[in-house]
């Protein structure tokens, strides 16, 4: 790998540039009662302000003990909120990735950048899932929200 390519990879690994501001939760974990081994999901919720003052929220997503078509539905909903009022949102579908792979990570569900007056700005997220073959329908795992900007 050339030095230039290595610099680009290292540059992308960090959460933000020196002029960005961000606040994140600790990593949050749940174990879902899937067929075979239970599937472990880990996520972290963040809120970001960039150098121009725009903000967005994100939620990371990783798993272990996936595969074997364990889910009928697996949607991560990420929200940017100001004083608990939603300002932007995104929904990312991870069903196919988890159903096809034993483990994975590095996924991030981002809301769009938006302008929101300063103060009380947080990121929030929830995972809606339906376990295959249990006949019980949808469940919701509400993740803890980020500290505010």
């Amino acid at each position: 790998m050339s030095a230039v390519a290595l610099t680009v990879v290292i540059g992308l690994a960090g959460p933000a540039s020196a002029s960005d501001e961000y606040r994140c939760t600790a990593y949050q974990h749940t174990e879902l009662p899937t067929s075979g081994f239970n599937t472990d999901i880990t996520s972290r919720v963040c809120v970001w302000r960039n150098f121009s003052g725009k903000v967005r929220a994100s939620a990371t997503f990783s798993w272990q003990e996936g595969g074997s078509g364990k889910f009928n539905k697996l949607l991560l909903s990420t929200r940017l909120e100001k004083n608990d009022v939603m300002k932007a949102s995104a929904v990312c579908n991870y069903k196919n990735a988890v159903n096809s792979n034993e483990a994975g990570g590095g996924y991030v569900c981002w809301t769009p950048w938006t302008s929101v007056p300063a103060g009380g700005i947080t990121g929030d997220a929830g995972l809606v899932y339906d376990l295959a073959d249990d006949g019980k329908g949808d469940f919701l795992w509400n993740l803890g929200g980020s500290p505010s900007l």
Side-chain angles (χ1 to χ4, degrees):
M1 181 179 286
S2 73
V4 172
L6 183 58
T7 301
V8 171
V9 171
I10 291 171
L12 293 175
S17 72
S19 61
D20 289 353
E21 180 182 8
Y22 65 97
R23 301 256 172 24
C24 299
T25 64
Y27 286 96
Q28 301 173 63
H29 173 263
T30 190
E31 184 175 310
L32 303 179
T34 54
S35 60
F37 291 104
N38 291 341
T39 301
D40 296 299
I41 307 284
T42 302
S43 189
R44 181 179 189 193
V45 181
C46 298
V47 63
W48 305 73
R49 178 180 289 119
N50 70 12
F51 64 93
S52 68
K54 290 192 174 187
V55 293
R56 71 177 174 178
S58 68
T60 62
F61 185 83
S62 63
W63 73 93
Q64 294 193 11
E65 307 296 345
S68 302
K70 294 181 176 188
F71 293 92
N72 294 326
K73 181 186 292 183
L74 194 59
L75 301 171
L76 182 61
S77 171
T78 306
R79 299 175 305 281
L80 175 71
E81 299 178 347
K82 177 167 175 73
N83 300 323
D84 292 325
V85 175
M86 186 172 62
K87 299 297 180 181
S89 66
V91 176
C92 299
N93 186 347
Y94 295 121
K95 179 186 90 169
N96 291 340
V98 176
N99 279 346
S100 301
N101 297 285
E102 169 80 17
Y107 292 86
V108 183
C109 189
W110 296 97
T111 67
W113 287 108
T114 190
S115 295
V116 177
I121 301 168
T122 57
D124 210 347
L127 184 72
V128 175
Y129 62 95
D130 179 10
L131 304 174
D133 303 322
D134 74 348
K136 296 182 180 178
D138 292 353
F139 291 92
L140 173 63
W141 175 40
N142 277 314
L143 286 91
S146 74
S148 66
L149 287 177

